[in-house]
Amino acid sequence: MPVRDSFGRPLRDLRISITDRCNFRCPYCMPKEVFGPHFTFLHREDLLTFEEVARLAAIFVRQGVEKVRLTGGEPLLRRDLERLVAQLAAIEGLHDIALTTNGSLLTREKARALKEAGLKRITISLDSLDDAVFRAMNDVDFPVARVLDAIDAAAEAGLAPVKIDAVVKRGVNDAGVVELARHFRGTGHIVRFIEYMDVGNTNRWRSEDVVSGREILDLLQREWALVPAESNYFGEVAERWRYADGEGEVGIITSVTQPFCGSCTRARLSANGEMYLCLFASTGYDVRKLLRSGASDDDIAAVIASRWHSRDDRYSELRSVETPSRKVEMSYIGG
Ligand code: SAM
């Protein structure tokens, strides 16, 4: 039985950031002026080792977690990631292992190795098909073509359907929403449009820059007839819409305009082993300290259970009322 929080929400998912570093500098996430050459990232010895990650994941599974998503930062910056995937795949009761990546390092060989190690699903971020727009959005001049190639590599390795996540920012890439949807329509892959969120403190988020899920849906519905589809499971973040002509589906993630805190079943682990109970939290709990001080699995399980039990976060539902002064960065806590 999963442990439940103060609103009755079960602990089902664990997102693990395995590095706070990224090779992209998307201004909405890791703007260059902050994450420049002088920024201090976590030191190697601060990062959880793969063995520590796997041990913690197994303890979380005992508390009800069924799905683990590896993210970051850019998770493929951790060498031999497939070694971690294999360790996770060996955990009894863990049904689903997923990865979120920008695709820049996803070669065919890497995609195959991840799949063989037990990766079940992959989400590849791609904000625009317009090369100039995309290069500006990643701010390291990375071309669209290489991300498209990574999507093909994932599909060829047996990781299809690939989810393709696009953050929509007003005046930046909203003109390309329909083009992105059209490109993947009929391919089996699922594009999901994400409202630009006020995570962290560095992206100078303004509500005017948010293109609401409603607006995104309007843009799509001007082109195609869409019908709402049921959620695949409790706590699914994307609203699903199917093309009425059977050419697949798109998703819309409305974390700003229609928050889904009520069904949030996710805990997060930062790359240095802090447990967070909300993407918008300002503090985490240092599980690594416990781990490295010789605590038993039962000790750690008890702490996780008790922290989840008293969880009452619902930041997105309250954001208009109160905003925490300092939120943790998404690259640190994991997107
Ligand atoms: N580097 C990987 C990637 O690019 O997918 C994984 C980490 S990244 C933080 C995960 C996702 O978070 C990406 O799809 C990214 O676009 C999204 N993201 C980052 N900042 C965001 C923001 N302010 N609002 C909405 N999504 C954001």
Side-chain angles (χ1 to χ4, degrees):
M1 277 293 278
V3 53
R4 287 181 183 267
D5 72 7
S6 60
F7 295 125
R9 297 169 296 189
L11 172 56
R12 287 280 186 217
D13 312 77
L14 179 63
R15 294 203 175 198
I16 309 176
S17 169
I18 54 169
T19 175
D20 58 336
R21 292 169 196 256
C22 189
N23 52 348
F24 281 13
R25 283 294 175 272
C26 308
Y28 59 74
C29 187
M30 292 183 77
K32 253 184 190 157
E33 16 357 317
V34 178
F35 297 90
H38 301 298
F39 185 82
T40 313
F41 289 97
L42 293 172
H43 293 293
R44 177 172 264 279
E45 60 277 13
D46 292 328
L47 299 181
L48 293 180
T49 63
F50 286 169
E51 286 66 28
E52 288 173 328
V53 171
R55 179 174 166 207
L56 283 179
I59 297 172
F60 271 94
V61 167
R62 280 176 40 204
Q63 302 307 311
V65 163
E66 294 175 345
K67 292 195 294 181
V68 164
R69 175 172 297 278
L70 300 175
T71 176
E74 174 44 49
L76 288 175
L77 286 175
R78 283 284 292 261
R79 212 174 315 138
D80 302 328
L81 185 64
E82 56 279 15
R83 217 165 47 73
L84 172 59
V85 172
Q87 290 180 37
L88 296 173
I91 298 172
E92 204 177 313
L94 180 57
H95 304 310
D96 196 5
I97 306 168
L99 173 71
T100 300
T101 173
N102 60 29
S104 60
L105 300 167
L106 191 71
T107 58
R108 281 177 167 66
E109 192 187 0
K110 181 58 87 176
R112 258 197 313 274
L114 289 165
K115 170 71 184 171
E116 277 163 20
L119 188 71
K120 293 269 196 310
R121 295 183 299 128
I122 193 161
T123 299
I124 299 183
S125 304
L126 176 61
D127 295 332
S128 180
L129 283 175
D130 179 311
D131 205 46
V133 171
F134 183 60
R135 285 175 192 255
M137 283 186 90
N138 60 58
D139 212 10
V140 292
D141 212 25
F142 199 85
V144 168
R146 288 188 46 199
V147 182
L148 292 178
D149 199 43
I151 294 168
D152 289 345
E156 284 166 27
L159 290 164
V162 177
K163 285 193 180 136
I164 293 139
D165 278 7
V167 176
V168 185
K169 201 171 165 192
R170 191 177 304 285
V172 177
N173 64 335
D174 46 343
V177 161
V178 167
E179 190 193 4
L180 250 180
R182 178 172 287 120
H183 184 88
F184 291 104
R185 205 177 105 84
T187 63
H189 302 320
I190 302 165
V191 180
R192 305 188 312 167
F193 297 100
I194 308 175
E195 288 179 349
Y196 171 43
M197 289 185 285
D198 52 335
V199 277
N201 312 285
T202 58
N203 63 7
R204 302 198 188 152
W205 183 87
R206 302 176 315 164
S207 57
E208 306 89 276
D209 295 333
V210 178
V211 180
S212 70
R214 172 54 48 196
E215 286 175 82
I216 295 168
L217 188 61
D218 283 349
L219 289 170
L220 299 172
Q221 283 182 321
R222 267 182 235 151
E223 300 292 316
W224 303 285
L226 290 166
V227 286
E230 286 290 301
S231 298
N232 285 314
Y233 50 86
F234 177 78
E236 186 171 35
V237 294
E239 230 178 65
R240 298 174 59 214
W241 292 86
R242 269 191 225 291
Y243 294 108
D245 61 3
E247 288 295 304
E249 67 178 78
V250 286
I252 300 181
I253 303 182
T254 57
S255 17
V256 178
T257 63
Q258 287 168 275
F260 32 80
C261 304
S263 60
C264 179
T265 55
R266 270 175 301 284
R268 294 166 186 271
L269 205 53
S270 67
N272 58 346
E274 288 179 337
M275 174 167 83
Y276 287 84
L277 302 180
C278 175
L279 180 55
F280 298 94
S282 44
T283 51
Y285 179 82
D286 191 351
V287 189
R288 187 193 60 180
K289 193 160 151 201
L290 207 60
L291 197 73
R292 292 190 182 171
S293 66
S296 70
D297 286 7
D298 285 345
D299 296 337
I300 298 171
V303 170
I304 292 170
S306 102
R307 296 201 78 87
W308 186 269
H309 196 62
S310 53
R311 173 187 192 239
D312 60 1
D313 306 69
R314 49 189 190 102
Y315 170 77
S316 290
E317 286 177 356
L318 301 174
R319 69 158 48 79
S320 54
V321 186
E322 51 188 75
T323 299
S325 51
R326 239 196 124 68
K327 292 171 279 164
V328 69
E329 296 301 318
M330 196 156 177
S331 50
Y332 177 82
I333 197 176

